[in-house]
């Protein structure tokens, strides 16, 4: 089993130029015939951030979960931006994951390349798009007085990106194969995506749940087992690493690492197991 996995991973690496071509093609298609082009990558999350800030920060007062000292380092607005940008990337991965094989059906049946290349290209495209949104984040950091730490830049950020890519790739491998055989998966994913959005502390600090007396202990444990909770908290810890309330708990961090690896294993195993059936269906 280990030899087979290693050989397939090596085969994907040997065809990395194909992955690069697919990524560039997807990016080009997305921005062609668009007047603003790349600017949409920044305008969309900016507009969402302003809406969520007004609803959750002003009306619902979610800022009460922010430490007082953090309010002078970007506050709730920077907290939102640092969570929404990576979430948009993950949400886009979930949205396109079920169709990763169907979209490339002609290429899959005509090119002699490892089929894992196509889900990998889908996740790779979204990762590049996330990196392209960083000018928005940097502008917010500058204007809001954010203070990135060396711990955040050298530890939390690389770990968050690697785990998000790992989890996203495993999820895409799984969904892309299953959806070819069971098309209801695509609709189910839309519902799950919305549940994960509100269950991953994107719009409010996790301490509002973990520190609430109204939430039972078993629910708090279940809340932290969600691998995405720790991943998005790592993204924000880049700017708020000195605040325990805004960094992942030990359980959330462990769940993110273990959950991402398990998702990749499950996704790859499912993809390989269903590969021949998927090819017949395509």
């Amino acid at each position: 089993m280990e030899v087979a996995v290693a050989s397939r991973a090596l085969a994907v690496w040997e065809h990395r130029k194909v992955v690069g071509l697919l990524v560039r093609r997807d990016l080009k298609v997305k921005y062609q015939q668009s007047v603003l082009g790349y600017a949409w990558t920044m305008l969309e999350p900016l507009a969402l951030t302003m809406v969520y800030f007004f609803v959750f920060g002003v009306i619902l007062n979610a800022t009460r979960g922010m430490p007082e000292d953090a309010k002078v380092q970007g506050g709730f607005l920077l907290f939102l931006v640092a969570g929404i940008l990576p979430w948009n990337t993950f949400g886009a991965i979930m949205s396109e994951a079920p169709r990763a094989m169907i979209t490339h059906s002609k290429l899959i049946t005509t090119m002699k390349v490892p089929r894992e290349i196509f889900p990998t290209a889908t996740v790779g495209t979204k990762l590049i798009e996330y990196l392209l949104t960083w000018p928005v984040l940097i502008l917010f950091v500058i204007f809001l007085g954010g203070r990135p730490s060396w711990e955040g830049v050298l530890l939390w950020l690389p770990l968050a990106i690697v785990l998000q890519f790992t989890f996203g790739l495993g999820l895409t491998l799984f969904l892309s194969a299953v959806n070819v055989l069971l098309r209801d998966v695509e609709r189910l994913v839309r519902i799950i995506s919305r549940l994960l959005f509100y269950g991953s502390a994107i719009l409010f600090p996790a301490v509002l749940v973990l520190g609430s007396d109204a939430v039972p202990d078993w629910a708090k444990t279940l809340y932290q087992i969600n691998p995405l909770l720790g991943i998005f908290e790592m993204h924000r810890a880049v700017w708020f690493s000195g605040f325990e309330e805004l960094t992942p708990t030990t359980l959330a961090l462990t769940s993110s690492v273990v959950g991402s690896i398990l998702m990749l294993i499950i996704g790859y195993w499912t993809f390989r197991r269903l590969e021949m059936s998927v090819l017949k269906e395509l």
Side-chain angles (χ1 to χ4, degrees):
M1 174 67 178
E2 292 81 1
V3 175
V5 172
S7 63
R8 296 285 291 199
L10 180 60
V12 172
W13 174 253
E14 290 175 345
H15 291 84
R16 60 189 180 279
K17 290 185 179 179
V18 178
V19 176
L21 288 172
L22 291 173
V23 170
R24 286 193 293 271
R25 185 204 64 176
D26 291 344
L27 290 174
K28 185 177 180 180
V29 168
K30 179 176 181 178
Y31 296 120
Q32 70 180 3
Q33 296 181 343
S34 174
V35 176
L36 295 178
Y38 164 68
W40 283 115
T41 303
M42 296 184 288
L43 290 175
E44 290 179 14
L46 182 60
L48 280 175
T49 299
M50 292 298 100
V51 171
Y52 287 133
F53 177 75
F54 178 74
V55 174
F56 287 87
V58 177
I59 298 178
L60 299 181
N61 192 28
T63 58
R64 66 186 185 278
M66 297 288 295
E68 285 297 324
D69 293 342
K71 293 179 180 179
V72 299
Q73 297 186 25
F76 187 66
L77 186 54
L78 181 57
F79 174 90
L80 276 180
V81 176
I84 287 175
L85 292 182
W87 167 262
N88 281 351
T89 298
F90 180 77
I93 290 174
M94 279 200 73
S95 177
E96 297 190 18
R99 301 191 61 81
M101 296 293 281
I102 297 173
T103 302
H104 299 101
S105 58
K106 291 184 179 179
L107 293 177
I108 293 171
T109 54
T110 56
M111 294 178 64
K112 292 184 179 180
V113 295
R115 278 87 188 194
E116 294 91 337
I117 278 179
F118 301 99
T120 301
T122 297
V123 179
T125 300
K126 300 309 169 189
L127 180 62
I128 296 299
E129 290 180 356
Y130 168 62
L131 297 178
L132 291 176
T133 63
W134 264 69
V136 174
L137 181 55
I138 298 302
L139 286 175
F140 271 92
V141 171
I142 293 173
F143 287 110
L144 296 176
R147 301 174 189 172
S149 65
W150 286 112
E151 176 189 358
V153 173
L154 299 179
L155 173 63
W156 293 121
L157 181 59
L159 186 58
I161 292 176
V162 168
L163 291 180
Q164 185 167 336
F165 178 82
T166 302
F167 190 91
L169 179 57
L171 186 67
T172 303
L173 287 168
F174 178 83
L175 294 176
S176 63
V178 174
N179 188 59
V180 173
L181 306 176
L182 188 63
R183 298 300 173 92
D184 292 335
V185 169
E186 191 171 353
R187 294 179 174 85
L188 182 62
V189 165
R190 296 173 190 166
I191 300 174
I192 295 176
S193 176
R194 188 50 53 188
L195 293 175
L196 288 174
F197 178 70
Y198 288 102
S200 301
I202 306 299
L203 303 178
F204 51 85
V207 70
L208 288 181
V209 176
L210 301 179
S212 174
D213 295 332
V215 180
D217 290 340
W218 65 265
K220 294 179 182 179
T221 301
L222 185 63
Y223 184 69
Q224 295 175 84
I225 289 177
N226 172 16
L228 297 178
L229 174 65
I231 290 175
F232 294 123
E233 286 193 309
M234 288 180 222
H235 278 288
R236 287 190 295 252
V238 178
W239 319 106
F240 301 103
S241 62
F243 302 96
E244 184 179 351
E245 302 92 328
L246 302 179
T247 53
T249 63
T250 301
L251 179 56
L253 180 60
T254 303
S255 299
S256 296
V257 175
V258 175
S260 297
I261 295 173
L262 281 178
M263 187 71 255
L264 182 60
I265 293 173
I266 293 171
Y268 178 77
W269 182 84
T270 304
F271 187 88
R272 293 287 289 144
R273 189 69 179 269
L274 299 179
E275 186 173 10
M276 296 312 298
S277 298
V278 168
L279 290 176
K280 291 179 182 177
E281 192 69 24
L282 291 176

